[in-house]
Amino acid sequence: MRILTLPAALAAFALALATAGCATAQEACPTAAAYRVKPVDGDTFHVEADFTSPTSRLDLFYFPIADRPQGQAESIRNVHAYGDDGQPVELTYVGEGGWETQSGEAVSRLTYEVRADHDAADWNQGGPGMDEVATRFDDSYFFAGHAFFLIDYDAPACPVTVEFDVPQDWNIVAPWEMDGRTARAANPWNLGQNAFVMGPAKPSQAVLSGLTINMLISSGADEIADGISGILGSVPQTYMDFFGGAPGDRYSVFVFTDTMSDGGAFQNSFAMRIATPFSPADEIVWSHTLGHEVMHLWIGAGAIHSTDPESTYWFTEGFTDYLTIKLMYQSGHLDEAMLKQRLANILRRYEIAKRRTPDATLAEAGANKQENWELVYGGGSLVALLLDATVSAEHPGMFRDMMRDLYEHSGTAYTPESLIARMDASTGGEASRIVDWVNSRPDANAIRQRLLPLGLDSARFGFDEVYVDFAECGEADCVPAFLAKPEPD
Ligand SMILES: [Zn+2]
C-alpha cells in the first residue's frame, strides 16, 4: 500500500527531477550513464558503469533493518572506481547507502558486485518488505533498481542504458525501453525507481490501448494468476479512460508470495506480495491492493507527485484509495455490496482517526504515516469522496476533469500549496473548503447530513461501526450518479 519515501539523503534531489523526462529533453540529452550487468558464480552479479558526467557520490536506497543495519548496501562487494585517466580513485562507503570519494575526486568508471542474498534477511522487520528491495523469483532474480544500481542521482536527467550480458534463456522483465538485451531508462531516477527481474521466468502480457503491461507471477501464486490477469487486463483501461491517458507506454507488474500481503509502487512498475494460503476473503484484499498500486502509476509514483511527499500523503494515498474503489466498481470488479462496504470503510477509518490522531491535520499526519494510517488513508479518502460527491451534484464530470488537469500538469512536482491551488482552480475553491472541513473533525452525524442529499446514506454505531446505503431511488442497488460508470465521451 505504500509509495516510496525518499531516504533523507536523496530527498533534495527529487525536487529537481521530473518524473519520466519528456521525449524532447531526452533527444537533447547525451546518455548520463551506461551500465553492464553480468551474472558470475552463484548468486553474484558483476556490474560495470561508465558515467558521462564524472561523479563523486553514488547511492543505493537505504532501508536499515535489524538483520542489516546498513540495509541494501550490505549486499554490495568489491567496489572499485576509476578516474577518466583510468587510474584508480578511492571510493569509500560513508553509511546510509552512500559511497563518496574522499577528496572530491571524480569517478568516471565503476565496477562492483551485487550478491543476491537479500532473502536471508527479514525486510518486514522495520523495512518496507522484500517487494521494495530484492528477492529470488522462482529461478530468477527480482530487484528494485535502487537496491542494485549505484546511482548518481545528481546526474543530468538524461537516459541511462543497461546492457544485460545474461544467458540466452534469460529474460529481462522491466518497464524500460528494451533494444535486445539493452535497457534504456529515461533518467537515473527512473533507473533506480523501477523494479526488474532477470532470469528464465517468462512474462505474460496485457495489451491495452496505449499501455502494454508485462506481468510476472511467481509459481507460488499460480492459483490466483487468472484473477490477477483479469484485473490487469481491464482495470488500467478504466483508469486510462478516467485520466485521458497513461504515463509512458509500458508497465511491469511482479507478484510473489510472502507471509503478509502488501505492495510497493515504483515509477512504471510495481511489486506485490500476497500472503498464502489463498482464500476468497484474501482475494478481496489483494484485488484492492492490486488496483491501488496500479493507481499509483497516475498518483504518487508515476505522474502526480509532490516536492513534499509526507505533507501530501493524504492526497496521494487517500485519492488513490478512493479512485481505486470507484473505478474498480466501474470496471466491474466490485459489486454494489462490496462498493458499500468499501465506502463504509472510508467513513469508519475517519471515525477511528478522530480517536487515534485527535490533533494533527491531514498534512501533518503524513510525517508519521504508519501511526496515523487512519487519518492519512481514511481522512484523505473522505476528502476525495466528499469532493467528488459535492461538485458532481452540480457539475457531473468536474471531479474527473480536476484529476485530469492535475495529471496533465504533473511533469513538474507539486508543492503542497500548488497542489491544492490547482484543485481549487478546477472546483471553485471546493477542494480547500473540504480539506478544512475534514480537518475540523466533523462528527459522524454532520458527515451523514452532508452525504445524504448527495445519494449516500450512512449510519454510525459506537466509534467503529459504519454502514452505508444508497439513498436516492429507494431501490437496493441504486448507485449514486457520481460513482456510476459515466456515459462515453
Ligand atoms: Zn498506496
Side-chain angles (χ1 to χ4, degrees), residues 149-367:
F149 296 106
L150 272 64
I151 291 174
D152 173 10
Y153 285 97
D154 266 343
C158 292
V160 175
T161 60
V162 183
E163 186 186 328
F164 289 94
D165 184 1
V166 296
Q168 276 303 319
D169 64 338
W170 280 29
N171 297 302
I172 308 300
V173 184
W176 305 307
E177 201 180 307
M178 295 297 298
D179 178 9
R181 299 295 180 94
T182 301
R184 182 180 151 104
N187 51 57
W189 181 250
N190 184 256
L191 177 70
Q193 195 40 302
N194 271 303
F196 67 103
V197 162
M198 303 178 268
K202 286 193 180 66
S204 55
Q205 232 175 35
V207 181
L208 309 172
S209 61
L211 186 68
T212 299
I213 302 176
N214 279 305
M215 293 172 257
L216 212 46
I217 300 167
S218 78
S219 58
D222 268 353
E223 65 179 282
I224 57 167
D226 286 348
I228 292 169
S229 306
I231 289 172
L232 291 176
S234 59
V235 169
Q237 188 68 59
T238 306
Y239 293 2
M240 276 191 284
D241 294 344
F242 180 83
F243 283 100
D249 57 4
R250 64 196 77 207
Y251 188 56
S252 298
V253 176
F254 307 98
V255 181
F256 40 83
T257 56
D258 193 16
T259 52
M260 59 177 282
S261 298
D262 202 358
F266 301 89
Q267 212 167 39
N268 309 94
S269 48
F270 88 86
M272 188 169 75
R273 52 204 167 98
I274 304 181
T276 54
F278 302 112
S279 76
D282 280 325
E283 182 167 350
I284 297 167
V285 175
W286 66 249
S287 62
H288 179 80
T289 304
L290 187 58
H292 176 107
E293 300 300 337
V294 174
M295 182 58 74
H296 277 315
L297 180 59
W298 285 265
I299 305 174
I304 303 168
H305 65 299
S306 173
T307 57
D308 181 356
E310 290 186 351
S311 298
T312 47
Y313 275 143
W314 66 271
F315 175 84
T316 54
E317 294 299 0
F319 276 59
T320 291
D321 223 40
Y322 170 73
L323 282 171
T324 302
I325 295 166
K326 169 170 162 153
L327 299 183
M328 283 189 76
Y329 167 71
Q330 291 186 1
S331 65
H333 290 277
L334 290 188
D335 61 17
E336 280 77 13
M338 188 54 70
L339 175 63
K340 289 175 189 173
Q341 189 164 336
R342 291 225 168 263
L343 294 169
N345 284 350
I346 293 175
L347 301 177
R348 178 185 303 111
R349 270 197 186 134
Y350 182 66
E351 290 307 309
I352 297 170
K354 288 185 223 166
R355 288 165 69 80
R356 282 186 41 89
T357 309
D359 301 320
T361 63
L362 291 163
E364 290 162 357

Side-chain angles (χ1 to χ4, degrees), residues 127-144:
M130 61 185 176
D131 50 313
E132 294 187 31
V133 182
T135 182
R136 285 163 166 279
F137 193 102
D138 290 338
D139 46 3
S140 298
Y141 299 90
F142 166 90
F143 283 99

Side-chain angles (χ1 to χ4, degrees), residues 330-405:
Q330 291 186 1
S331 65
H333 290 277
L334 290 188
D335 61 17
E336 280 77 13
M338 188 54 70
L339 175 63
K340 289 175 189 173
Q341 189 164 336
R342 291 225 168 263
L343 294 169
N345 284 350
I346 293 175
L347 301 177
R348 178 185 303 111
R349 270 197 186 134
Y350 182 66
E351 290 307 309
I352 297 170
K354 288 185 223 166
R355 288 165 69 80
R356 282 186 41 89
T357 309
D359 301 320
T361 63
L362 291 163
E364 290 162 357
N368 195 345
K369 192 181 175 191
Q370 294 305 319
E371 192 66 22
N372 300 319
W373 173 273
E374 293 84 359
L375 186 59
V376 171
Y377 285 77
S381 299
L382 180 60
V383 171
L385 168 63
L386 287 167
L387 183 58
D388 191 1
T390 302
V391 300
S392 299
E394 293 276 314
H395 307 284
M398 182 184 268
F399 182 78
R400 185 200 65 182
D401 292 345
M402 179 198 76
M403 293 306 302
R404 283 189 177 188
D405 176 72

